[in-house]
Amino acid sequence: MFIIELNYLVPVSEIDANMADHIEYLDKHYRSGHFLASGRKEPRDGGLIFVKAASKLEVEKIIAEDPFNRKGLATYRIIEFKATKKIKTYDNFAGDE
């Protein structure tokens, strides 16, 4: 499991102006099964995406497609997460780690 942390580099008005393209990107990766959850951080200075992927390289390739990335609107931090304590249904959510 990976967590992508986005931090906006531009005013929120510019983020909003590009949100439709970003949502299309999100939808594509939800359909593929890569994205498990996503949303804004509060205060609204970026967002988080929970990703099911085989490797950090795969996550980097996914990030390269994001319109926010292609247009230089955000920076990205990839956090690899290995659950050491979890509820039983976590594996259904995150897959086999």
Side-chain angles (χ1 to χ4, degrees):
M1 160 92 70
F2 294 86
I3 301 167
I4 300 171
E5 179 184 19
L6 290 81
N7 289 296
Y8 299 150
L9 297 172
V10 297
V12 174
S13 59
E14 194 169 342
I15 295 297
D16 287 342
N18 288 276
M19 190 59 72
D21 291 339
H22 179 68
I23 289 172
E24 284 182 32
Y25 156 81
L26 293 172
D27 289 345
K28 173 187 174 184
H29 289 286
Y30 274 107
R31 285 189 303 271
S32 74
H34 285 115
F35 289 177
L36 305 169
S38 60
R40 299 173 177 167
K41 295 190 302 181
E42 291 296 336
R44 191 171 173 205
D45 60 0
L48 298 172
I49 306 171
F50 291 77
V51 184
K52 183 194 265 188
S55 67
K56 185 176 180 181
L57 180 60
E58 185 177 10
V59 176
E60 290 170 346
K61 289 178 182 178
I62 290 169
I63 289 170
E65 299 175 18
D66 188 350
F68 286 177
N69 183 46
R70 290 194 328 259
K71 295 177 181 180
L73 306 180
T75 60
Y76 297 76
R77 181 168 76 126
I78 300 170
I79 303 162
E80 187 168 1
F81 175 75
K82 301 280 187 192
T84 54
K85 188 163 179 69
K86 55 193 173 184
I87 61 172
K88 290 180 183 181
T89 58
Y90 176 83
D91 290 334
N92 293 335
F93 175 74
D96 185 27
E97 297 181 312

